[in-house]
Structures are given as C-alpha cells and as structure tokens.
Amino acid sequence: PAPTAASTTPALDAVQPDGSFATNLSYDPERAPAKKLSVAELHALSAQTERAFDQALDQYAGLGPALADAQVPDLGLASDLLRGFQRYVGADPALVLMLMKIKGDVQSSLYRHGIKTALLSMTLATQMGFADQQVTDAGVAALVHDLGMLRVPLHIRTAERQLPPAEWQQVREHPTHTLNILDRLKGVTESVKTAAYQVHERCDASGYPRKRPQQFIHPMAKVIAVADTYAALTDDEVAALDAWYT
C-alpha cells in the first residue's frame, strides 16, 4: 500500500532532550511529486513566471523595509507574495530553476535573492515530502532570512571589496537582527523564526551566528541553506558580494 501522508511528512520540530533536532532529512523519490512538463509547456509558462517574479520583486522591495521597521504587523503580505507562485512550484521544478537566470543590480540584490531563495526552498521542500504548511513556512523563512541585512550599513552590505574583520562581524550579526525583526511581528511560528535565524549555520559548525553543529540546526534551515547557496551562485551580483564576505 502507498505510504500515508502522516508517515512521510517529516517532523521538523521534533526535539531531543538535549535540544538537538530529531529529524534527519532525506530525499525519497517515491514521495516526491512525479510531475514533469513538456518543453512546450515549460516555454508557455516561463513568460508567466518571469512576469510574476518581476511583480513580486517590486512588492518585496517595498515590503522588506516595512517589515524591518515594524510598519506592518505580521508576515501575511509575505505569505501572499509567495502564494502566487504555488502553482509554478508544484507544476515542475524546472520552472523555478529557470527563474534563477533573472539578473539585476546590486540595489535590488537583497530582495531578488530573497525571492529566489524562497522559491527554491519551496521547491525542495515539496520534493522532500513536506506538508503544505511546512512548504509555506520554508518559503516565508527563506524570503525574510536576510532582512537583518537592512540593519547593516549600506556601504558594507553592498561593498565590492574584501571586508575587514570589524565589517565582516557586522554582516555576521544580521541573522540576530532578522530574529529581532521576526520577534516583533505577530503570529510568526517558532519554526519560521528558528529556520530564518539558522540559515547561515553549517553542519560542520563553521557557520554563523552561533557555529552550531548539524544536530542543533533546524531541518528547515538546512533546506533553505542549500537554496540560499544555489541562488547566490547563480546570480552574478549576489555571488560577487558573497565572495567579498568570505
């Protein structure tokens, strides 16, 4: 018999007595949606997805600073922004990968990268058998995970040069700023807060802000970290900034 949703949906928030997360994620082709569009179908939908991306970028460029400055009460508008992409995320992963080629300038890179990371995270989460709400949470956490960079001085976060240690430390503090922003908003789940805060942690404990080993990193944060890295490497402006940060 086919496995039930309850048996395949990962328990992302299951925690051991020592505070480590109990769930180790794995990709199971049997539970991933077996959808693949034809080349003609992909071509027909690609223009729609690009228009939706451009509209979302304009919306997020206005929403991001409003969230950071507590001018909106919750993440409802962020969820609405991503909801428009649900049909594309579920249609075929190739549609989202095609959006990674969209380029832009340094000024829009924070918001463009947030949307790309969100869409990739939702796609990965769908392919890994996450429940619908888990997919949405992964997208929202990915979208906002770098909002704390708005608290980093502009001349640092857009610098196209090697950062000295003091400036690099300010960059490394942005997850804490993100968490502080999310703490002020209503109705943000602990999963979203924790995942957004831990995206830049690494399983070998080389990440930031806390150098957590892999068992203490939220499973959703691990998924978003993969999407975050891929989105950065496929965007020349973001990749250039990341190269200077490291």
Side-chain angles (χ1 to χ4, degrees):
T4 64
S7 67
T8 60
T9 299
L12 299 180
D13 295 308
V15 178
Q16 305 277 26
D18 64 354
S20 62
F21 290 96
T23 299
N24 289 316
L25 295 176
S26 61
Y27 175 73
D28 182 355
E30 293 300 319
R31 72 185 175 194
K35 294 183 180 180
K36 190 172 182 179
L37 299 177
S38 67
V39 173
E41 290 171 323
L42 284 173
H43 181 74
L45 283 175
S46 64
Q48 294 180 31
T49 57
E50 289 186 18
R51 284 195 299 271
F53 186 96
D54 289 341
Q55 293 172 0
L57 181 58
D58 288 341
Q59 293 172 20
Y60 192 39
L63 176 61
L67 287 168
D69 294 336
Q71 295 175 0
V72 292
D74 55 41
L75 289 176
L77 291 175
S79 297
D80 291 344
L81 185 151
L82 295 177
R83 195 167 291 118
F85 287 97
Q86 288 282 16
R87 60 179 292 228
Y88 305 121
V89 168
D92 191 318
L95 271 176
V96 172
L97 291 175
M98 290 168 69
L99 292 175
M100 297 302 109
K101 65 184 175 61
I102 294 177
K103 309 298 183 185
D105 55 26
V106 172
Q107 285 67 36
S108 66
S109 62
L110 179 68
Y111 309 110
R112 186 174 66 254
H113 179 67
I115 296 172
K116 288 183 176 182
T117 304
L119 297 181
L120 277 175
S121 297
M122 293 167 70
T123 302
L124 286 172
T126 299
Q127 294 291 307
M128 297 184 76
F130 283 28
D132 289 346
Q133 187 58 53
Q134 291 174 329
V135 172
T136 299
D137 286 349
V140 171
L143 181 70
V144 302
H145 82 277
D146 274 340
L147 273 186
M149 286 292 285
L150 293 174
R151 301 280 175 82
V152 177
L154 182 64
H155 74 277
I156 294 177
R157 72 173 188 261
T158 60
E160 298 184 44
R161 55 179 170 79
Q162 193 74 43
L163 297 182
E167 292 183 345
W168 171 226
Q169 182 57 35
Q170 291 191 61
V171 171
R172 290 168 66 95
E173 291 171 357
H174 85 265
T176 302
H177 297 317
T178 296
L179 183 60
N180 290 337
I181 290 168
L182 296 179
D183 276 338
R184 295 203 318 266
L185 301 176
K186 298 177 182 178
V188 183
T189 66
E190 289 302 314
S191 290
V192 169
K193 290 180 185 179
T194 304
Y197 177 61
Q198 294 184 347
V199 168
H200 297 292
E201 300 285 2
R202 293 295 178 261
C203 290
D204 63 357
S206 66
Y208 62 89
R210 298 288 300 277
K211 295 186 180 295
R212 294 174 182 269
Q214 67 91 15
Q215 67 268 29
F216 292 99
I217 302 173
H218 196 287
M220 191 183 295
K222 295 177 183 178
V223 172
I224 299 171
V226 173
D228 176 56
T229 301
Y230 185 90
L233 290 173
T234 53
D235 189 310
D236 293 341
E237 292 293 344
V238 177
L241 292 176
D242 279 0
W244 290 121
Y245 290 163
T246 56

